[in-house]
Structure formats: C-alpha cells, structure tokens
Amino acid sequence: YDANTLRYFILTHHYRSPVDFSDEALEGAKNRSAKLTHNISLLLQSLNSTPEDCLKAAQGNRPPEMGAWMSAMADDLN
C-alpha cells in the first residue's frame, strides 16, 4: 500500500481510538484515496490551478482564530 492509502486509512479514524488493520479495510482506503485524488485533480483542472497555487492561497487567507486552534490542538496532542 502506498503512503496516501495509509494516511487516508489512519486519518479516517479518531486519533485516540485503536485502529484495526485488515486487508479489506486497507483496500477500501486505497479505493477511497484514489477516488479522492481523482476528484481533486478534476477540481483543480476545472479551476485551472495547481495544488501549489491552492496551498499558497490557503496560507494567505488563514483566519486569526487558526493560531488559537493550532495551539489547542498541539496541547491536546502533546
């Protein structure tokens, strides 16, 4: 399984709960990850943008509350 499949699989579970790995679950994550990647590429094509353009735009438009949220998440994950 590739890295994106594993990331998708892990990110779809709550970070404090145990994760049961199985071939069926990883295959499902592989299919959903591929579908998500495909849909993102279609969206970017329709917007005529690159992922890098979207990332730059998102970083420039962060609301002020984002800093407080990131601090709270860092504290919870410590």
Side-chain angles (χ1 to χ4, degrees), residues 9-10 13-15 17-22:
F9 177 77
I10 291 169
H13 293 82
H14 191 272
Y15 71 95
S17 64
V19 177
D20 294 324
F21 284 94
S22 69

Side-chain angles (χ1 to χ4, degrees), residues 4-15 19 21 26 29:
N4 284 335
T5 297
L6 295 175
R7 285 184 191 110
Y8 186 91
F9 177 77
I10 291 169
L11 288 172
T12 56
H13 293 82
H14 191 272
Y15 71 95
V19 177
F21 284 94
L26 288 172

Side-chain angles (χ1 to χ4, degrees), residues 34-68:
K35 185 176 180 177
L36 179 63
T37 302
H38 176 71
N39 288 336
I40 289 172
S41 3
L42 290 176
L43 177 64
L44 290 174
Q45 285 174 6
S46 72
L47 295 174
N48 216 6
S49 299
T50 65
E52 291 79 18
D53 293 338
C54 294
L55 182 60
K56 286 178 189 173
Q59 288 174 342
N61 294 325
R62 284 190 183 155
E65 299 83 18
M66 182 63 87

